[in-house]
Amino acid sequence: MCFDDGPGIRTTVFLQGCSLCCPWCCNPETQRVHDESSCDENHELYDLDDIKRQLMKDLVFWQNGGGVTLSGGEPLLQSRDLRELCVYLKELNINIVVETSMFVPTMNLDDLIPFVDLWYVDVKILDTNMCKIVLHGDIKLFEKNVAYLRSKNCKIHFRMPCSSEYTLQEKNWDRIVSFLKNYSNYPVDIFPIHNLAKRKYLQKGMKYIEFETIQADKMKQLCQCLMNNGINASLMNL
Amino acid sequence: MQISNRDDELNMYKAKNSAEEVKKHEDNCKIKSPNFLMERAAGDFEGCFYYMCNDMEICIDRGRYVQFYDFDYIYDPCVKNITPAYDLFLNNGLLDLNYHNDISNDLFCQRYNSVIDSIEILIKRVITELSMSNFEEREKKKRWFSNMLVTSAKSFEEALQRVLFLEQLLWQTGSRLVGLGRMDCYLRPFYYEDIKKGISKTEIYNEIVEFLEEAHNYYWYKSDVLVGDTGQVIILGGIEPGGEYVFDELSELLLEAVKNSKKTDPKVVLRVSHSMPVEVMNKAVGCMLMGNGSPLLSNDDVIIPALQQFGIKDDAYDYTTSACWEPLIGGKSSSMNNQACLSFAKALQNMLFEEQLDKIKDYSTFENKYFKYVKREIIRCKRLISQRRYSRNTLYSIFIKGCYQKKTDIVDGGAEYNNVGFTTVGIGNTVDALLNIKEYVFEKKELALIDVKKVSLYNFVGYESLYDKLKDRGSFFGRDDIEITSLTNRIMRYVTEETKDYSTSAAGKLKFGISSPSYIFESRNCLASFDGRKKGEPFTVHISNEKVDSYTELISFAGMIDYYENRFNGNVLDLIFSPSFLEKNLEKVSLMFLYGIEKGFFQLQTNVISSAVLKAAKDHPEEYGNLIVRVWGFSAYYVQLPEEFKDLLIKRAMENEVVV
């Protein structure tokens, strides 16, 4: 159950596997495609029928715009299987939101575009070199995919995690502003990166970087800066 | 415990009041009437009451309402945890309630009329005291009390005075957990009459505010087991027989007044239904956000059919609750809904120590044998219930419908409904333990039943890694899995099977629920259980699971439990929210509760707490005197709670914050 992953009350499906490895990731247990350690007693592997069965328990809560959010990890890595789930949900007129970083083959988007009501797209590191080094991602692919979504008239909502160590570095910030100005019709939520996932990293024996807490005033300044550039920005209160 | 708590609170009273007020109070604490003591020793309620009404001190202050207590008069514990028929007293003069025919051969009627005579004496004394006072509004108040004798209340304010006066008599005569009933219903005619007369809503709101302040007064004196547990519960809203959900202007004013009161009581139970407007639920959640523990949501869509199936027909629409949450028909019920406590965990513990464990080869056999031990606990509860005796209570008999017609005291079955309730505790721990036993002993065969016994006996010593595993996996109870809910329902239905045919001496039936005040009291002497609970640690609080990361899952779980037959004596989903989460998500939480009604939860209450604040309050109570928390079914000032209750709330708040 979630209140923040889209309109209304939502049930979020966290898919295993991601094409990136963001240092601030809140769900590190979903990064690796095959990760048996994620299948501990609190996590289970589900096939499609299992997922449908689990999701339908929440059907009554999805009224008034609520529904299912596909997240992860990177849900678009499993777009082919998710297509079948989306077909099923759409037959029931269920609202579908996808949270994605867009670092996936473009053809994966085609699997889900007909069904998704809202795309939450992460905007994080757009500087080419930084993106390659930190995220292990190809920024050209990201830009191409976002443009593709726009060309298909998809409803896009950008989300930007703010970190002094990474995303707010000057070069990257300039790139982000420049990018978002090109998509000024689409809303952007910005939020400060937190350290709430630290426990998960430590439990999995993963290296954890403690992030500086960005104060509320600074966040307001950042938001105002974006708005001054004609970008439809809001502060997201996590 | 009750007396020592009162002593503590009297000391607090002394700390807060002037020396002159303390001396006056101490002078009052000398027993004045030897006749009262004699009559009390003889078990003569009417005699005691007569002396009290003639003698009790009446100190009238300048407040809007007349209210006074004389702590001199200490009655033995009597019938409690029920709600009188306030409408009888609001819509009639006291003398109208008399038997007017020849009662010379009927002892009950004579006692009944004598108590009314005594109340009349008291009322006339109040009028005299008012006459001697120089208060500005004394003439108005004299009219109120004169009217009390011969006619109905004539205004909303006057009606509230009658509620306070009747309530006061019940507290004064030793009753506890006196409910306030469906205030928006029985006060409705007076409210709309006042509005027609041009009295403003603001003025009426102020009347309510002062009423709540008066009702909260001396809450330490009114408290039952723990300070704050007064049972002054106001029922608001509800569906009518035609299916319409009613929550009107008066309901809104009452809820608003409780929300803004920032006191532990009176508290609100809001009756809800899938047909209620979302705006009403928004108001309810807005009230919860204040952190005073109100309202508890009571699902008419589940409870009314359950009551009707039990045999309560149209009156089911008029249900109120006992002090915590147990449904009963206010004004017509003698149902004391907390007459015994059945511990599912104790039954399992007994089985481990008495049964020949090596002969049990499969889980099904184990579960069936477990039910034998539950049966033993049921027999104990029945025995306790059948042995309970209460002294007659003619005062309550006047204000509980049925007694007049039957000419029978409330304790002898005079009320229209005489069912009896008991609570159960530890079902969450037991469901978890049984499922763990099934997995570790019978499926994976990693352990034997003797190990389960040893875990209990040695408090997990020697089984530390098992303890860590059980703690890490978290609880099953509260997860919307069919195996878990099926087991929960099997246990509950077994209790029904063993209790449904029981009849009390007053031809009442038994009912039970899976919420209880005893999750700490009953756990103290319970050994470690195979759900990761160590010896003496509290049981699961009602229906809750702070490690489930989804409120919707908990709500779904609660909706999958079968509350019918006699399983409706309180089944509360107990949710923890951090203040920041609830504030940020108020409308979505409100929707979630609305949809939860459709899912079929029975009742729901919230604790809106932050572990940081609770810890700070524990360390510096002097700075957090007004911090309110929810404890079983009432609200309390956190700093006044025993330490183990404080610690449990901190633990639950922390678990909730980790998950959220």
Side-chain angles (χ1 to χ4, degrees):
Chain A
M1 176 221 81
C2 188
F3 291 160
D4 292 318
D5 291 345
I9 298 171
R10 311 196 69 79
T11 305
T12 303
V13 181
F14 292 95
L15 283 302
Q16 186 71 29
C18 188
S19 44
L20 304 178
C21 50
C22 305
W24 54 80
C25 181
C26 301
N27 302 315
E29 70 277 15
T30 63
Q31 285 178 0
R32 290 168 65 175
V33 173
H34 297 290
D35 189 342
E36 287 179 5
S37 67
S38 294
C39 305
D40 58 19
E41 289 181 1
N42 293 327
H43 296 86
E44 294 178 31
L45 277 179
Y46 291 92
D47 64 25
L48 213 47
D49 287 337
D50 288 333
I51 294 178
K52 287 176 188 173
R53 214 169 13 249
Q54 284 290 76
L55 286 177
M56 286 302 110
K57 291 178 184 176
D58 283 353
L59 181 62
V60 79
F61 294 106
W62 299 335
Q63 299 174 61
N64 284 306
V68 174
T69 296
L70 304 173
S71 182
E74 172 53 68
L76 290 175
L77 288 180
Q78 299 187 56
S79 60
R80 200 175 304 175
D81 291 321
L82 287 177
R83 182 186 171 90
E84 188 186 328
L85 176 63
C86 289
V87 166
Y88 174 77
L89 292 173
K90 271 302 162 205
E91 280 170 2
L92 298 170
N93 214 22
I94 304 298
N95 182 282
I96 300 173
V97 167
V98 166
E99 293 182 330
T100 172
S101 63
M102 284 289 165
F103 286 88
V104 294
T106 307
M107 65 181 177
N108 291 20
L109 304 182
D110 284 326
D111 286 330
L112 300 189
I113 281 174
F115 310 106
V116 174
D117 296 289
L118 174 65
W119 297 81
Y120 276 127
V121 175
D122 292 342
V123 174
K124 14 201 191 195
I125 296 181
L126 302 190
D127 174 79
T128 308
N129 280 340
M130 253 182 98
C131 184
K132 205 169 185 176
I133 295 167
V134 177
L135 302 183
H136 303 252
D138 175 5
I139 200 60
K140 295 267 182 279
L141 179 60
F142 168 84
E143 289 170 346
K144 175 188 168 197
N145 282 337
V146 178
Y148 186 70
L149 274 191
R150 176 161 66 175
S151 73
K152 296 290 184 182
N153 294 319
C154 294
K155 193 171 172 189
I156 303 171
H157 196 125
F158 294 108
R159 279 183 166 171
M160 185 186 146
C162 295
S163 143
S164 313
E165 295 84 351
Y166 294 101
T167 57
L168 298 180
Q169 293 287 308
E170 189 177 342
K171 258 174 82 173
N172 192 56
W173 175 256
D174 291 342
R175 281 286 294 120
I176 286 176
V177 172
S178 166
F179 172 82
L180 289 175
K181 276 168 80 167
N182 199 17
Y183 289 90
S184 57
N185 289 345
Y186 297 94
V188 180
D189 289 337
I190 69 169
F191 59 94
I193 282 169
H194 53 72
N195 291 297
L196 295 175
K198 181 177 174 181
R199 182 179 60 92
K200 282 193 204 177
Y201 281 82
L202 297 179
Q203 271 178 354
K204 288 181 69 65
M206 291 170 71
K207 183 181 164 192
Y208 182 73
I209 303 167
E210 194 93 22
F211 290 95
E212 177 198 339
T213 305
I214 301 183
Q215 299 303 321
D217 285 347
K218 171 77 175 170
M219 289 303 302
K220 281 184 192 161
Q221 280 175 23
L222 294 169
C223 190
Q224 190 59 53
C225 175
L226 291 173
M227 288 163 69
N228 292 344
N229 279 280
I231 296 162
N232 182 5
S234 313
L235 276 177
M236 187 172 166
N237 189 10
L238 284 176
Chain B
M1 183 186 273
Q2 185 180 0
I3 291 172
S4 66
N5 277 341
R6 287 187 193 170
D7 285 345
D8 289 343
E9 293 317 309
L10 282 170
N11 286 333
M12 284 174 66
Y13 175 84
K14 287 176 184 174
K16 288 179 186 170
N17 291 277
S18 68
E20 187 184 314
E21 281 164 338
V22 169
K23 175 143 190 346
K24 182 180 173 190
H25 180 74
E26 281 179 333
D27 285 344
N28 285 340
C29 284
K30 297 177 187 120
I31 306 282
K32 289 188 282 196
S33 171
N35 288 326
F36 175 85
L37 292 176
M38 281 163 46
E39 300 294 352
R40 182 176 141 200
D44 184 354
F45 178 92
E46 296 75 27
C48 291
F49 192 71
Y50 171 79
Y51 286 114
M52 188 187 81
C53 289
N54 270 282
D55 188 52
M56 66 189 275
E57 183 143 346
I58 302 170
C59 299
I60 301 176
D61 62 24
R62 292 182 184 276
R64 183 189 290 267
Y65 302 106
V66 174
Q67 197 189 33
F68 44 86
Y69 290 94
D70 190 334
F71 304 119
D72 236 0
Y73 289 91
I74 301 172
Y75 281 72
D76 293 329
C78 62
V79 288
K80 66 178 189 180
N81 207 6
I82 54 180
T83 303
Y86 292 102
D87 59 319
L88 264 183
F89 196 36
L90 301 192
N91 299 322
N92 296 284
L94 177 73
L95 301 178
D96 293 330
L97 303 180
N98 261 322
Y99 287 102
H100 297 287
N101 49 355
D102 178 15
I103 57 171
S104 54
N105 292 323
D106 197 306
L107 185 56
F108 171 80
C109 298
Q110 290 169 21
R111 287 171 173 161
Y112 183 105
N113 278 7
S114 81
V115 167
I116 290 184
D117 289 345
S118 298
I119 300 175
E120 182 185 0
I121 291 169
L122 179 61
I123 289 172
K124 286 178 175 172
R125 289 183 60 217
V126 172
I127 295 170
T128 304
E129 287 290 329
L130 284 166
S131 298
M132 294 189 317
S133 76
N134 58 1
F135 298 148
E136 278 177 19
E137 294 201 311
R138 68 175 182 190
E139 292 307 317
K140 179 173 84 172
K141 290 175 185 174
K142 279 168 64 179
R143 257 195 326 273
W144 286 357
F145 281 82
S146 299
N147 286 344
M148 249 187 226
L149 292 173
V150 295
T151 186
S152 61
K154 299 302 176 198
S155 71
F156 186 82
E157 193 184 24
E158 189 178 330
L160 287 177
Q161 172 66 79
R162 289 200 189 195
V163 171
L164 281 172
F165 183 74
L166 172 54
E167 221 210 3
Q168 178 181 333
L169 289 179
L170 293 167
W171 296 119
Q172 191 72 58
T173 50
S175 190
R176 286 295 173 268
L177 306 176
V178 179
L180 287 164
R182 299 187 75 188
M183 287 191 80
D184 57 353
C185 285
Y186 61 71
L187 290 171
R188 187 165 287 137
F190 304 99
Y191 170 79
Y192 284 107
E193 196 56 36
D194 271 15
I195 294 291
K196 255 201 289 188
K197 287 178 193 167
I199 294 174
S200 71
K201 275 193 204 171
T202 305
E203 176 58 24
I204 292 176
Y205 178 78
N206 291 338
E207 290 167 7
I208 294 172
V209 167
E210 291 195 47
F211 167 85
L212 293 177
E213 283 171 8
E214 286 290 358
H216 181 70
N217 235 346
Y218 303 111
Y219 71 93
W220 48 265
Y221 166 71
K222 297 173 185 175
S223 294
D224 194 39
V225 174
L226 291 185
V227 176
D229 188 15
T230 66
Q232 294 191 115
V233 57
I234 299 169
I235 315 294
L236 296 179
I239 56 172
E240 299 289 296
E244 184 198 358
Y245 181 80
V246 178
F247 183 92
D248 63 359
E249 293 174 8
L250 177 56
S251 316
E252 192 172 336
L253 286 179
L254 285 161
L255 182 63
E256 189 69 15
V258 168
K259 173 186 167 188
N260 295 329
S261 73
K262 297 182 182 153
K263 301 266 197 291
T264 54
D265 84 313
K267 58 195 178 181
V268 168
V269 166
L270 176 66
R271 285 174 46 173
V272 298
S273 167
H274 74 280
S275 56
M276 70 187 290
V278 65
E279 296 77 24
V280 175
M281 186 60 88
N282 287 342
K283 290 185 202 302
V285 178
C287 186
M288 290 174 186
L289 183 59
M290 301 305 284
N292 63 6
S294 276
L296 177 146
L297 306 180
S298 193
N299 189 356
D300 280 11
D301 296 346
V302 172
I303 292 173
I304 290 175
L307 289 170
Q308 289 180 325
Q309 197 195 52
F310 190 66
I312 298 168
K313 299 301 176 195
D314 287 345
D315 279 340
Y317 288 95
D318 211 22
Y319 84 87
T320 61
T321 69
S322 297
C324 292
W325 45 60
E326 301 90 334
L328 79 163
I329 312 304
K332 294 184 178 180
S333 256
S334 68
S335 297
M336 284 181 282
N337 287 324
N338 197 351
Q339 291 298 284
C341 183
L342 184 157
S343 169
F344 291 113
K346 186 176 170 198
L348 185 56
Q349 178 180 297
N350 290 341
M351 176 183 173
L352 290 174
F353 284 87
E354 297 178 29
E355 192 64 34
Q356 283 188 288
L357 298 175
D358 54 349
K359 290 194 171 1
I360 301 174
K361 301 300 179 195
D362 57 77
Y363 174 75
S364 176
T365 306
F366 184 91
E367 188 178 297
N368 287 335
K369 284 191 183 290
Y370 166 67
F371 285 141
K372 273 177 32 192
Y373 289 85
V374 173
K375 183 171 181 171
R376 215 166 72 179
E377 293 304 303
I378 292 171
I379 291 170
R380 185 187 64 79
C381 287
K382 285 180 185 173
R383 189 167 57 238
L384 191 58
I385 290 166
S386 67
Q387 287 176 353
R388 285 205 185 275
R389 294 287 182 268
Y390 291 93
S391 303
R392 68 174 184 275
N393 194 308
T394 316
L395 177 63
Y396 246 126
S397 300
I398 296 170
F399 295 105
I400 292 287
K401 294 176 184 175
C403 298
Y404 178 90
Q405 290 80 1
K406 294 183 193 176
K407 296 183 182 176
T408 304
D409 196 275
I410 185 175
V411 303
D412 296 323
E416 288 193 31
Y417 301 101
N418 297 285
N419 304 305
V420 175
F422 64 97
T423 63
T424 68
V425 74
I427 194 168
N429 306 85
T430 304
V431 163
D432 288 352
L434 288 172
L435 291 174
N436 284 333
I437 289 169
K438 183 180 178 195
E439 179 180 339
Y440 282 94
V441 174
F442 296 106
E443 288 175 351
K444 289 181 179 169
K445 300 192 195 297
E446 289 178 10
L447 297 167
L449 285 175
I450 189 66
D451 293 300
V452 178
K453 180 176 177 176
K454 285 180 182 177
V455 157
S456 191
L457 183 61
Y458 300 131
N459 204 21
F460 284 95
V461 171
Y463 293 89
E464 286 79 7
S465 64
L466 173 66
Y467 173 76
D468 290 338
K469 264 196 219 172
L470 294 179
K471 291 303 282 185
D472 277 346
R473 84 184 316 183
S475 175
F476 295 109
F477 189 75
R479 298 194 178 271
D480 59 355
D481 179 90
I482 192 74
E483 187 183 19
I484 301 168
T485 53
S486 295
L487 175 55
T488 306
N489 282 328
R490 274 202 304 282
I491 295 172
M492 290 174 74
R493 286 179 186 135
Y494 180 80
V495 176
T496 292
E497 266 313 297
E498 295 298 325
T499 54
K500 67 181 182 185
D501 296 325
Y502 181 87
S503 183
T504 68
S505 57
K509 296 194 282 187
L510 281 183
K511 50 194 171 124
F512 74 99
I514 57 172
S515 299
S516 171
S518 301
Y519 49 84
I520 286 182
F521 304 130
E522 287 287 329
S523 69
R524 283 174 183 154
N525 293 325
C526 193
L527 298 178
S529 40
F530 205 67
D531 59 314
R533 180 194 144 271
K534 285 199 171 165
K535 178 186 174 184
E537 286 183 352
F539 291 137
T540 305
V541 177
H542 318 319
I543 302 172
S544 65
N545 185 341
E546 279 68 57
K547 291 190 176 169
V548 166
D549 58 4
S550 165
Y551 292 115
T552 50
E553 182 168 16
L554 277 166
I555 292 172
S556 293
F557 170 88
M560 292 165 75
I561 304 299
D562 178 3
Y563 302 113
Y564 285 82
E565 299 185 270
N566 67 344
R567 298 180 289 275
F568 60 84
N569 197 43
N571 301 284
V572 181
L573 179 54
D574 190 294
L575 300 179
I576 305 248
F577 290 95
S578 70
S580 57
F581 178 91
L582 189 58
E583 188 166 7
K584 183 179 160 238
N585 295 292
L586 195 143
E587 285 181 12
K588 288 191 179 180
V589 169
S590 182
L591 283 175
M592 183 174 70
F593 288 166
L594 262 178
Y595 305 147
I597 294 168
E598 285 184 56
K599 272 287 197 178
F601 70 74
F602 190 90
Q603 288 163 326
L604 184 155
Q605 68 178 15
T606 60
N607 234 321
V608 183
I609 48 177
S610 141
S611 65
V613 170
L614 295 180
K615 285 178 193 172
K618 189 173 151 79
D619 292 338
H620 302 283
E622 68 283 359
E623 296 173 25
Y624 291 88
N626 293 325
L627 177 64
I628 297 174
V629 292
R630 189 81 177 168
V631 182
W632 67 74
F634 71 99
S635 299
Y637 294 110
Y638 179 74
V639 298
Q640 293 181 352
L641 289 173
E643 293 306 303
E644 55 197 331
F645 284 87
K646 290 180 187 162
D647 291 340
L648 179 59
L649 283 165
I650 291 173
K651 173 176 175 283
R652 294 183 69 204
M654 286 174 65
E655 285 174 351
N656 171 66
E657 286 156 14
V658 163
V659 166
V660 171

